[in-house]
Amino acid sequence: MQQLRLELAESFYDSLPLRPYATDDFEYGVKIQSKKNAVTKKHLSLNHKYSTQWVTFDIDRNGAVADLYYDTTGVQTPNLVVENPENGHAHFLYKLQTPVYLGENTSIKAINYLSAIYAEMRGLLGADTAYTGLISKNPMHKHWRTQELHQEPYTLRELARNLDLDATVTRTAKVSADEAYHEGRNVKLFNELRAWAYVAVREYRGKTYALWLQACIDYCMQLNGMLVHMLGYNEVKQIAKSVSKFTWQKDAYHHHMFMERQAMKAKSGGVKRSASYDPLREQAVALFADGAKKKDIALELGVSDRTIRNWLNAEKAESALSQICEG
């Protein structure tokens, strides 16, 4: 496949986040990778957590690239077109001269301006409305056919040239009303985050819940960044907290059951273990001894409050019995 010229490849590489999400196969989920490793994958995230420099559209139809040469819609030519040579579907990538920052203390006008431009361009291009823009075809990967059609990055004003943004305001209002009726932005984020979290949580086994919660917040913020009308940070955080808590406890339970089965197999094979042996129980006792609250321990280990109480009571009883025997 056609390779990017050196200058463009270096510029593209420099624009990427330090640790993008990337994958070769979505069935196995996306993972945070080093930049050096991410650019070897077929798909990766182009934008930083709280900013947008690459505006991406997913065109799921044959002849998507050929349509550009006969375009009469007034949409600007993309900087890069990354095409699947097997079916002609493509991602159109537009690079912004100045990134639009998405945090709470940034320009709401710039965010709304970009949202209006994106909605209008998406409609004119016939791009997939369900595509969040989080993960893109990697233009540096040899699996795709990549073309550079425009060298200079765009300002928002240049992207908006020839677009009827007044019509966009009306249309996006209707889209938002439909979304609120059928699904809603928060439900959309919840479902997309949950699908990712079921797989991604496995990478956090042996780590703390706080790290997992932050990973969910970061991913949810990226999903939120591509909505026409984004939710506030507190709403995003609440969605992330709900998903992270549920998936953390669910994964910890199944992982704990797996470890118990392994222990039973070892025991039946002649390996003698103490009746009180339980890795999670040992962690619970240690955390409680360090001053952690029972409720926090339950959340950290992914078990119920009742289980924590039973473990601690059993530990206390065994300790008392041991002292009596020694006496």
PDB file of all heavy atoms in Angstrom, residues 44-47 52-59 80 82 90-95 114 118 121-122 125 127-128 131-137 226:
ATOM      1  N   LEU A  44      -6.347   3.342  15.742  1.00  0.00           N
ATOM      2  CA  LEU A  44      -5.849   4.045  16.926  1.00  0.00           C
ATOM      3  C   LEU A  44      -6.601   5.347  17.129  1.00  0.00           C
ATOM      4  O   LEU A  44      -7.279   5.828  16.223  1.00  0.00           O
ATOM      5  CB  LEU A  44      -4.349   4.315  16.825  1.00  0.00           C
ATOM      6  CG  LEU A  44      -3.847   5.478  15.961  1.00  0.00           C
ATOM      7  CD1 LEU A  44      -2.371   5.728  16.240  1.00  0.00           C
ATOM      8  CD2 LEU A  44      -4.043   5.199  14.486  1.00  0.00           C
ATOM      9  N   SER A  45      -6.481   5.911  18.344  1.00  0.00           N
ATOM     10  CA  SER A  45      -7.104   7.205  18.633  1.00  0.00           C
ATOM     11  C   SER A  45      -6.152   8.319  18.217  1.00  0.00           C
ATOM     12  O   SER A  45      -4.956   8.265  18.511  1.00  0.00           O
ATOM     13  CB  SER A  45      -7.441   7.311  20.126  1.00  0.00           C
ATOM     14  OG  SER A  45      -6.296   7.116  20.927  1.00  0.00           O
ATOM     15  N   LEU A  46      -6.687   9.317  17.553  1.00  0.00           N
ATOM     16  CA  LEU A  46      -5.852  10.395  17.008  1.00  0.00           C
ATOM     17  C   LEU A  46      -5.745  11.590  17.937  1.00  0.00           C
ATOM     18  O   LEU A  46      -4.783  12.366  17.823  1.00  0.00           O
ATOM     19  CB  LEU A  46      -6.431  10.862  15.665  1.00  0.00           C
ATOM     20  CG  LEU A  46      -6.649   9.803  14.581  1.00  0.00           C
ATOM     21  CD1 LEU A  46      -7.116  10.469  13.293  1.00  0.00           C
ATOM     22  CD2 LEU A  46      -5.394   8.992  14.342  1.00  0.00           C
ATOM     23  N   ASN A  47      -6.717  11.759  18.815  1.00  0.00           N
ATOM     24  CA  ASN A  47      -6.785  12.980  19.614  1.00  0.00           C
ATOM     25  C   ASN A  47      -6.416  12.740  21.077  1.00  0.00           C
ATOM     26  O   ASN A  47      -6.589  11.644  21.608  1.00  0.00           O
ATOM     27  CB  ASN A  47      -8.190  13.583  19.539  1.00  0.00           C
ATOM     28  CG  ASN A  47      -8.511  14.094  18.151  1.00  0.00           C
ATOM     29  OD1 ASN A  47      -7.747  14.872  17.575  1.00  0.00           O
ATOM     30  ND2 ASN A  47      -9.629  13.645  17.584  1.00  0.00           N
ATOM     31  N   THR A  52      -9.298  18.236  20.501  1.00  0.00           N
ATOM     32  CA  THR A  52      -9.541  17.663  19.177  1.00  0.00           C
ATOM     33  C   THR A  52      -8.687  18.395  18.151  1.00  0.00           C
ATOM     34  O   THR A  52      -8.853  19.608  17.958  1.00  0.00           O
ATOM     35  CB  THR A  52     -11.027  17.792  18.780  1.00  0.00           C
ATOM     36  OG1 THR A  52     -11.824  17.032  19.678  1.00  0.00           O
ATOM     37  CG2 THR A  52     -11.255  17.290  17.355  1.00  0.00           C
ATOM     38  N   GLN A  53      -7.773  17.669  17.511  1.00  0.00           N
ATOM     39  CA  GLN A  53      -7.007  18.237  16.408  1.00  0.00           C
ATOM     40  C   GLN A  53      -7.354  17.554  15.095  1.00  0.00           C
ATOM     41  O   GLN A  53      -7.288  18.175  14.044  1.00  0.00           O
ATOM     42  CB  GLN A  53      -5.505  18.131  16.668  1.00  0.00           C
ATOM     43  CG  GLN A  53      -4.668  18.791  15.562  1.00  0.00           C
ATOM     44  CD  GLN A  53      -3.250  19.048  15.964  1.00  0.00           C
ATOM     45  OE1 GLN A  53      -2.646  18.281  16.693  1.00  0.00           O
ATOM     46  NE2 GLN A  53      -2.684  20.156  15.480  1.00  0.00           N
ATOM     47  N   TRP A  54      -7.734  16.286  15.170  1.00  0.00           N
ATOM     48  CA  TRP A  54      -8.147  15.550  13.978  1.00  0.00           C
ATOM     49  C   TRP A  54      -9.655  15.351  14.017  1.00  0.00           C
ATOM     50  O   TRP A  54     -10.190  14.765  14.950  1.00  0.00           O
ATOM     51  CB  TRP A  54      -7.453  14.203  13.906  1.00  0.00           C
ATOM     52  CG  TRP A  54      -5.990  14.282  13.600  1.00  0.00           C
ATOM     53  CD1 TRP A  54      -4.955  14.278  14.484  1.00  0.00           C
ATOM     54  CD2 TRP A  54      -5.396  14.403  12.299  1.00  0.00           C
ATOM     55  NE1 TRP A  54      -3.753  14.371  13.827  1.00  0.00           N
ATOM     56  CE2 TRP A  54      -3.988  14.454  12.480  1.00  0.00           C
ATOM     57  CE3 TRP A  54      -5.900  14.463  11.001  1.00  0.00           C
ATOM     58  CZ2 TRP A  54      -3.086  14.559  11.424  1.00  0.00           C
ATOM     59  CZ3 TRP A  54      -5.017  14.573   9.939  1.00  0.00           C
ATOM     60  CH2 TRP A  54      -3.636  14.623  10.149  1.00  0.00           C
ATOM     61  N   VAL A  55     -10.339  15.854  12.989  1.00  0.00           N
ATOM     62  CA  VAL A  55     -11.785  15.686  12.854  1.00  0.00           C
ATOM     63  C   VAL A  55     -12.004  14.578  11.834  1.00  0.00           C
ATOM     64  O   VAL A  55     -11.557  14.688  10.680  1.00  0.00           O
ATOM     65  CB  VAL A  55     -12.455  16.990  12.397  1.00  0.00           C
ATOM     66  CG1 VAL A  55     -13.963  16.802  12.303  1.00  0.00           C
ATOM     67  CG2 VAL A  55     -12.109  18.130  13.350  1.00  0.00           C
ATOM     68  N   THR A  56     -12.682  13.507  12.242  1.00  0.00           N
ATOM     69  CA  THR A  56     -12.740  12.296  11.428  1.00  0.00           C
ATOM     70  C   THR A  56     -14.177  11.926  11.087  1.00  0.00           C
ATOM     71  O   THR A  56     -15.061  12.005  11.939  1.00  0.00           O
ATOM     72  CB  THR A  56     -12.088  11.129  12.185  1.00  0.00           C
ATOM     73  OG1 THR A  56     -10.808  11.525  12.666  1.00  0.00           O
ATOM     74  CG2 THR A  56     -11.917   9.920  11.278  1.00  0.00           C
ATOM     75  N   PHE A  57     -14.374  11.482   9.852  1.00  0.00           N
ATOM     76  CA  PHE A  57     -15.683  11.034   9.388  1.00  0.00           C
ATOM     77  C   PHE A  57     -15.561   9.617   8.837  1.00  0.00           C
ATOM     78  O   PHE A  57     -14.599   9.293   8.136  1.00  0.00           O
ATOM     79  CB  PHE A  57     -16.231  11.968   8.299  1.00  0.00           C
ATOM     80  CG  PHE A  57     -16.431  13.381   8.764  1.00  0.00           C
ATOM     81  CD1 PHE A  57     -15.404  14.317   8.640  1.00  0.00           C
ATOM     82  CD2 PHE A  57     -17.626  13.773   9.344  1.00  0.00           C
ATOM     83  CE1 PHE A  57     -15.570  15.623   9.075  1.00  0.00           C
ATOM     84  CE2 PHE A  57     -17.796  15.081   9.793  1.00  0.00           C
ATOM     85  CZ  PHE A  57     -16.768  16.006   9.652  1.00  0.00           C
ATOM     86  N   ASP A  58     -16.545   8.797   9.149  1.00  0.00           N
ATOM     87  CA  ASP A  58     -16.566   7.398   8.707  1.00  0.00           C
ATOM     88  C   ASP A  58     -17.539   7.272   7.543  1.00  0.00           C
ATOM     89  O   ASP A  58     -18.746   7.445   7.705  1.00  0.00           O
ATOM     90  CB  ASP A  58     -16.999   6.515   9.882  1.00  0.00           C
ATOM     91  CG  ASP A  58     -16.990   5.036   9.517  1.00  0.00           C
ATOM     92  OD1 ASP A  58     -16.251   4.659   8.595  1.00  0.00           O
ATOM     93  OD2 ASP A  58     -17.726   4.272  10.162  1.00  0.00           O
ATOM     94  N   ILE A  59     -17.017   6.951   6.356  1.00  0.00           N
ATOM     95  CA  ILE A  59     -17.844   6.838   5.149  1.00  0.00           C
ATOM     96  C   ILE A  59     -17.961   5.362   4.798  1.00  0.00           C
ATOM     97  O   ILE A  59     -17.040   4.759   4.239  1.00  0.00           O
ATOM     98  CB  ILE A  59     -17.236   7.618   3.960  1.00  0.00           C
ATOM     99  CG1 ILE A  59     -16.711   8.991   4.424  1.00  0.00           C
ATOM    100  CG2 ILE A  59     -18.255   7.762   2.840  1.00  0.00           C
ATOM    101  CD1 ILE A  59     -17.769   9.933   4.908  1.00  0.00           C
ATOM    102  N   LEU A  80      -6.339  13.885   4.827  1.00  0.00           N
ATOM    103  CA  LEU A  80      -6.001  12.486   4.564  1.00  0.00           C
ATOM    104  C   LEU A  80      -7.263  11.677   4.322  1.00  0.00           C
ATOM    105  O   LEU A  80      -8.298  11.907   4.962  1.00  0.00           O
ATOM    106  CB  LEU A  80      -5.246  11.870   5.756  1.00  0.00           C
ATOM    107  CG  LEU A  80      -3.887  12.463   6.127  1.00  0.00           C
ATOM    108  CD1 LEU A  80      -3.364  11.785   7.395  1.00  0.00           C
ATOM    109  CD2 LEU A  80      -2.886  12.281   4.990  1.00  0.00           C
ATOM    110  N   VAL A  82      -8.173   7.639   4.352  1.00  0.00           N
ATOM    111  CA  VAL A  82      -7.650   6.311   4.690  1.00  0.00           C
ATOM    112  C   VAL A  82      -8.701   5.297   4.267  1.00  0.00           C
ATOM    113  O   VAL A  82      -9.759   5.171   4.897  1.00  0.00           O
ATOM    114  CB  VAL A  82      -7.353   6.202   6.195  1.00  0.00           C
ATOM    115  CG1 VAL A  82      -6.570   4.920   6.478  1.00  0.00           C
ATOM    116  CG2 VAL A  82      -6.579   7.409   6.684  1.00  0.00           C
ATOM    117  N   ALA A  90     -14.030   4.324   3.828  1.00  0.00           N
ATOM    118  CA  ALA A  90     -12.879   5.166   4.164  1.00  0.00           C
ATOM    119  C   ALA A  90     -13.171   6.070   5.344  1.00  0.00           C
ATOM    120  O   ALA A  90     -14.333   6.334   5.694  1.00  0.00           O
ATOM    121  CB  ALA A  90     -12.492   6.019   2.957  1.00  0.00           C
ATOM    122  N   HIS A  91     -12.100   6.529   5.956  1.00  0.00           N
ATOM    123  CA  HIS A  91     -12.155   7.601   6.945  1.00  0.00           C
ATOM    124  C   HIS A  91     -11.569   8.858   6.308  1.00  0.00           C
ATOM    125  O   HIS A  91     -10.495   8.813   5.704  1.00  0.00           O
ATOM    126  CB  HIS A  91     -11.356   7.239   8.201  1.00  0.00           C
ATOM    127  CG  HIS A  91     -12.092   6.320   9.128  1.00  0.00           C
ATOM    128  ND1 HIS A  91     -11.533   5.787  10.269  1.00  0.00           N
ATOM    129  CD2 HIS A  91     -13.369   5.855   9.097  1.00  0.00           C
ATOM    130  CE1 HIS A  91     -12.420   5.045  10.893  1.00  0.00           C
ATOM    131  NE2 HIS A  91     -13.541   5.061  10.187  1.00  0.00           N
ATOM    132  N   PHE A  92     -12.299   9.970   6.443  1.00  0.00           N
ATOM    133  CA  PHE A  92     -11.811  11.266   5.980  1.00  0.00           C
ATOM    134  C   PHE A  92     -11.276  12.003   7.203  1.00  0.00           C
ATOM    135  O   PHE A  92     -11.998  12.211   8.180  1.00  0.00           O
ATOM    136  CB  PHE A  92     -12.945  12.075   5.352  1.00  0.00           C
ATOM    137  CG  PHE A  92     -13.437  11.538   4.032  1.00  0.00           C
ATOM    138  CD1 PHE A  92     -12.918  10.382   3.480  1.00  0.00           C
ATOM    139  CD2 PHE A  92     -14.447  12.206   3.337  1.00  0.00           C
ATOM    140  CE1 PHE A  92     -13.384   9.888   2.268  1.00  0.00           C
ATOM    141  CE2 PHE A  92     -14.911  11.729   2.122  1.00  0.00           C
ATOM    142  CZ  PHE A  92     -14.380  10.563   1.590  1.00  0.00           C
ATOM    143  N   LEU A  93     -10.028  12.426   7.141  1.00  0.00           N
ATOM    144  CA  LEU A  93      -9.367  13.072   8.274  1.00  0.00           C
ATOM    145  C   LEU A  93      -9.050  14.523   7.944  1.00  0.00           C
ATOM    146  O   LEU A  93      -8.377  14.803   6.950  1.00  0.00           O
ATOM    147  CB  LEU A  93      -8.069  12.342   8.634  1.00  0.00           C
ATOM    148  CG  LEU A  93      -8.137  11.097   9.530  1.00  0.00           C
ATOM    149  CD1 LEU A  93      -9.053  10.029   8.956  1.00  0.00           C
ATOM    150  CD2 LEU A  93      -6.737  10.524   9.733  1.00  0.00           C
ATOM    151  N   TYR A  94      -9.538  15.420   8.798  1.00  0.00           N
ATOM    152  CA  TYR A  94      -9.258  16.842   8.670  1.00  0.00           C
ATOM    153  C   TYR A  94      -8.422  17.275   9.866  1.00  0.00           C
ATOM    154  O   TYR A  94      -8.811  17.047  11.016  1.00  0.00           O
ATOM    155  CB  TYR A  94     -10.554  17.652   8.639  1.00  0.00           C
ATOM    156  CG  TYR A  94     -11.415  17.421   7.422  1.00  0.00           C
ATOM    157  CD1 TYR A  94     -12.261  16.315   7.345  1.00  0.00           C
ATOM    158  CD2 TYR A  94     -11.396  18.314   6.354  1.00  0.00           C
ATOM    159  CE1 TYR A  94     -13.058  16.098   6.234  1.00  0.00           C
ATOM    160  CE2 TYR A  94     -12.194  18.110   5.237  1.00  0.00           C
ATOM    161  CZ  TYR A  94     -13.013  17.001   5.181  1.00  0.00           C
ATOM    162  OH  TYR A  94     -13.794  16.792   4.079  1.00  0.00           O
ATOM    163  N   LYS A  95      -7.294  17.924   9.604  1.00  0.00           N
ATOM    164  CA  LYS A  95      -6.429  18.380  10.683  1.00  0.00           C
ATOM    165  C   LYS A  95      -6.690  19.854  10.975  1.00  0.00           C
ATOM    166  O   LYS A  95      -6.691  20.679  10.068  1.00  0.00           O
ATOM    167  CB  LYS A  95      -4.955  18.174  10.330  1.00  0.00           C
ATOM    168  CG  LYS A  95      -4.006  18.481  11.483  1.00  0.00           C
ATOM    169  CD  LYS A  95      -2.558  18.197  11.109  1.00  0.00           C
ATOM    170  CE  LYS A  95      -1.629  18.453  12.284  1.00  0.00           C
ATOM    171  NZ  LYS A  95      -0.213  18.196  11.945  1.00  0.00           N
ATOM    172  N   LEU A 114     -17.268  24.029  16.482  1.00  0.00           N
ATOM    173  CA  LEU A 114     -16.800  22.760  15.916  1.00  0.00           C
ATOM    174  C   LEU A 114     -17.938  21.754  15.822  1.00  0.00           C
ATOM    175  O   LEU A 114     -18.061  21.038  14.823  1.00  0.00           O
ATOM    176  CB  LEU A 114     -15.668  22.190  16.771  1.00  0.00           C
ATOM    177  CG  LEU A 114     -15.162  20.793  16.370  1.00  0.00           C
ATOM    178  CD1 LEU A 114     -14.646  20.790  14.933  1.00  0.00           C
ATOM    179  CD2 LEU A 114     -14.072  20.321  17.324  1.00  0.00           C
ATOM    180  N   TYR A 118     -19.119  20.060  12.416  1.00  0.00           N
ATOM    181  CA  TYR A 118     -19.057  18.601  12.301  1.00  0.00           C
ATOM    182  C   TYR A 118     -20.411  18.031  11.867  1.00  0.00           C
ATOM    183  O   TYR A 118     -20.493  17.170  10.985  1.00  0.00           O
ATOM    184  CB  TYR A 118     -18.641  17.993  13.641  1.00  0.00           C
ATOM    185  CG  TYR A 118     -18.454  16.506  13.585  1.00  0.00           C
ATOM    186  CD1 TYR A 118     -17.247  15.950  13.165  1.00  0.00           C
ATOM    187  CD2 TYR A 118     -19.482  15.632  13.956  1.00  0.00           C
ATOM    188  CE1 TYR A 118     -17.076  14.579  13.104  1.00  0.00           C
ATOM    189  CE2 TYR A 118     -19.318  14.268  13.894  1.00  0.00           C
ATOM    190  CZ  TYR A 118     -18.108  13.743  13.482  1.00  0.00           C
ATOM    191  OH  TYR A 118     -17.950  12.371  13.408  1.00  0.00           O
ATOM    192  N   MET A 121     -21.057  18.924   8.113  1.00  0.00           N
ATOM    193  CA  MET A 121     -20.187  18.152   7.215  1.00  0.00           C
ATOM    194  C   MET A 121     -20.591  16.682   7.206  1.00  0.00           C
ATOM    195  O   MET A 121     -20.584  16.043   6.150  1.00  0.00           O
ATOM    196  CB  MET A 121     -18.721  18.293   7.646  1.00  0.00           C
ATOM    197  CG  MET A 121     -18.142  19.681   7.415  1.00  0.00           C
ATOM    198  SD  MET A 121     -16.420  19.828   7.984  1.00  0.00           S
ATOM    199  CE  MET A 121     -15.582  18.721   6.858  1.00  0.00           C
ATOM    200  N   ARG A 122     -20.911  16.151   8.363  1.00  0.00           N
ATOM    201  CA  ARG A 122     -21.321  14.742   8.444  1.00  0.00           C
ATOM    202  C   ARG A 122     -22.544  14.475   7.580  1.00  0.00           C
ATOM    203  O   ARG A 122     -22.614  13.468   6.864  1.00  0.00           O
ATOM    204  CB  ARG A 122     -21.626  14.381   9.905  1.00  0.00           C
ATOM    205  CG  ARG A 122     -21.999  12.916  10.126  1.00  0.00           C
ATOM    206  CD  ARG A 122     -22.200  12.631  11.599  1.00  0.00           C
ATOM    207  NE  ARG A 122     -23.298  13.427  12.156  1.00  0.00           N
ATOM    208  CZ  ARG A 122     -23.609  13.474  13.446  1.00  0.00           C
ATOM    209  NH1 ARG A 122     -22.883  12.804  14.316  1.00  0.00           N
ATOM    210  NH2 ARG A 122     -24.608  14.229  13.874  1.00  0.00           N
ATOM    211  N   LEU A 125     -21.550  14.812   3.772  1.00  0.00           N
ATOM    212  CA  LEU A 125     -20.710  13.702   3.324  1.00  0.00           C
ATOM    213  C   LEU A 125     -21.436  12.361   3.365  1.00  0.00           C
ATOM    214  O   LEU A 125     -20.969  11.379   2.786  1.00  0.00           O
ATOM    215  CB  LEU A 125     -19.455  13.601   4.203  1.00  0.00           C
ATOM    216  CG  LEU A 125     -18.412  14.706   4.051  1.00  0.00           C
ATOM    217  CD1 LEU A 125     -17.377  14.616   5.165  1.00  0.00           C
ATOM    218  CD2 LEU A 125     -17.734  14.627   2.684  1.00  0.00           C
ATOM    219  N   ALA A 127     -21.824  10.680   6.109  1.00  0.00           N
ATOM    220  CA  ALA A 127     -21.008   9.871   7.021  1.00  0.00           C
ATOM    221  C   ALA A 127     -21.883   9.186   8.064  1.00  0.00           C
ATOM    222  O   ALA A 127     -23.017   9.580   8.318  1.00  0.00           O
ATOM    223  CB  ALA A 127     -19.972  10.760   7.696  1.00  0.00           C
ATOM    224  N   ASP A 128     -21.314   8.158   8.680  1.00  0.00           N
ATOM    225  CA  ASP A 128     -22.006   7.365   9.689  1.00  0.00           C
ATOM    226  C   ASP A 128     -22.307   8.234  10.913  1.00  0.00           C
ATOM    227  O   ASP A 128     -21.397   8.774  11.537  1.00  0.00           O
ATOM    228  CB  ASP A 128     -21.113   6.182  10.080  1.00  0.00           C
ATOM    229  CG  ASP A 128     -21.777   5.242  11.076  1.00  0.00           C
ATOM    230  OD1 ASP A 128     -22.939   5.479  11.452  1.00  0.00           O
ATOM    231  OD2 ASP A 128     -21.127   4.263  11.483  1.00  0.00           O
ATOM    232  N   TYR A 131     -20.880   6.901  14.420  1.00  0.00           N
ATOM    233  CA  TYR A 131     -19.431   6.898  14.638  1.00  0.00           C
ATOM    234  C   TYR A 131     -19.047   8.016  15.607  1.00  0.00           C
ATOM    235  O   TYR A 131     -19.405   9.173  15.415  1.00  0.00           O
ATOM    236  CB  TYR A 131     -18.728   7.094  13.297  1.00  0.00           C
ATOM    237  CG  TYR A 131     -17.224   7.252  13.376  1.00  0.00           C
ATOM    238  CD1 TYR A 131     -16.419   6.212  13.827  1.00  0.00           C
ATOM    239  CD2 TYR A 131     -16.610   8.437  12.974  1.00  0.00           C
ATOM    240  CE1 TYR A 131     -15.042   6.356  13.886  1.00  0.00           C
ATOM    241  CE2 TYR A 131     -15.236   8.587  13.020  1.00  0.00           C
ATOM    242  CZ  TYR A 131     -14.458   7.539  13.479  1.00  0.00           C
ATOM    243  OH  TYR A 131     -13.095   7.681  13.530  1.00  0.00           O
ATOM    244  N   THR A 132     -18.306   7.661  16.678  1.00  0.00           N
ATOM    245  CA  THR A 132     -17.962   8.647  17.707  1.00  0.00           C
ATOM    246  C   THR A 132     -16.691   9.416  17.393  1.00  0.00           C
ATOM    247  O   THR A 132     -16.437  10.460  18.002  1.00  0.00           O
ATOM    248  CB  THR A 132     -17.765   7.966  19.073  1.00  0.00           C
ATOM    249  OG1 THR A 132     -16.617   7.100  19.000  1.00  0.00           O
ATOM    250  CG2 THR A 132     -18.989   7.153  19.464  1.00  0.00           C
ATOM    251  N   GLY A 133     -15.863   8.901  16.478  1.00  0.00           N
ATOM    252  CA  GLY A 133     -14.611   9.570  16.162  1.00  0.00           C
ATOM    253  C   GLY A 133     -13.481   9.216  17.105  1.00  0.00           C
ATOM    254  O   GLY A 133     -12.369   9.727  16.967  1.00  0.00           O
ATOM    255  N   LEU A 134     -13.736   8.343  18.069  1.00  0.00           N
ATOM    256  CA  LEU A 134     -12.695   8.005  19.041  1.00  0.00           C
ATOM    257  C   LEU A 134     -11.547   7.228  18.397  1.00  0.00           C
ATOM    258  O   LEU A 134     -10.375   7.527  18.605  1.00  0.00           O
ATOM    259  CB  LEU A 134     -13.294   7.184  20.184  1.00  0.00           C
ATOM    260  CG  LEU A 134     -12.288   6.669  21.219  1.00  0.00           C
ATOM    261  CD1 LEU A 134     -11.595   7.826  21.920  1.00  0.00           C
ATOM    262  CD2 LEU A 134     -12.977   5.762  22.224  1.00  0.00           C
ATOM    263  N   ILE A 135     -11.871   6.219  17.603  1.00  0.00           N
ATOM    264  CA  ILE A 135     -10.855   5.357  16.986  1.00  0.00           C
ATOM    265  C   ILE A 135     -10.925   5.511  15.471  1.00  0.00           C
ATOM    266  O   ILE A 135     -11.996   5.461  14.885  1.00  0.00           O
ATOM    267  CB  ILE A 135     -11.066   3.889  17.363  1.00  0.00           C
ATOM    268  CG1 ILE A 135     -11.050   3.714  18.887  1.00  0.00           C
ATOM    269  CG2 ILE A 135      -9.993   3.015  16.725  1.00  0.00           C
ATOM    270  CD1 ILE A 135      -9.727   4.012  19.532  1.00  0.00           C
ATOM    271  N   SER A 136      -9.765   5.682  14.843  1.00  0.00           N
ATOM    272  CA  SER A 136      -9.701   5.878  13.394  1.00  0.00           C
ATOM    273  C   SER A 136      -8.839   4.802  12.755  1.00  0.00           C
ATOM    274  O   SER A 136      -7.994   4.180  13.411  1.00  0.00           O
ATOM    275  CB  SER A 136      -9.105   7.259  13.086  1.00  0.00           C
ATOM    276  OG  SER A 136      -8.779   7.376  11.712  1.00  0.00           O
ATOM    277  N   LYS A 137      -9.063   4.599  11.471  1.00  0.00           N
ATOM    278  CA  LYS A 137      -8.105   3.813  10.702  1.00  0.00           C
ATOM    279  C   LYS A 137      -6.751   4.529  10.768  1.00  0.00           C
ATOM    280  O   LYS A 137      -6.685   5.746  10.626  1.00  0.00           O
ATOM    281  CB  LYS A 137      -8.552   3.687   9.242  1.00  0.00           C
ATOM    282  CG  LYS A 137      -9.795   2.813   9.024  1.00  0.00           C
ATOM    283  CD  LYS A 137     -10.158   2.755   7.549  1.00  0.00           C
ATOM    284  CE  LYS A 137     -11.292   1.771   7.280  1.00  0.00           C
ATOM    285  NZ  LYS A 137     -12.570   2.185   7.893  1.00  0.00           N
ATOM    286  N   MET A 226     -17.008  13.705  21.081  1.00  0.00           N
ATOM    287  CA  MET A 226     -17.491  13.655  19.706  1.00  0.00           C
ATOM    288  C   MET A 226     -19.010  13.782  19.596  1.00  0.00           C
ATOM    289  O   MET A 226     -19.560  13.670  18.510  1.00  0.00           O
ATOM    290  CB  MET A 226     -17.028  12.354  19.031  1.00  0.00           C
ATOM    291  CG  MET A 226     -15.522  12.275  18.856  1.00  0.00           C
ATOM    292  SD  MET A 226     -14.779  13.742  18.098  1.00  0.00           S
ATOM    293  CE  MET A 226     -15.567  13.739  16.480  1.00  0.00           C
TER     294      MET A 226
END
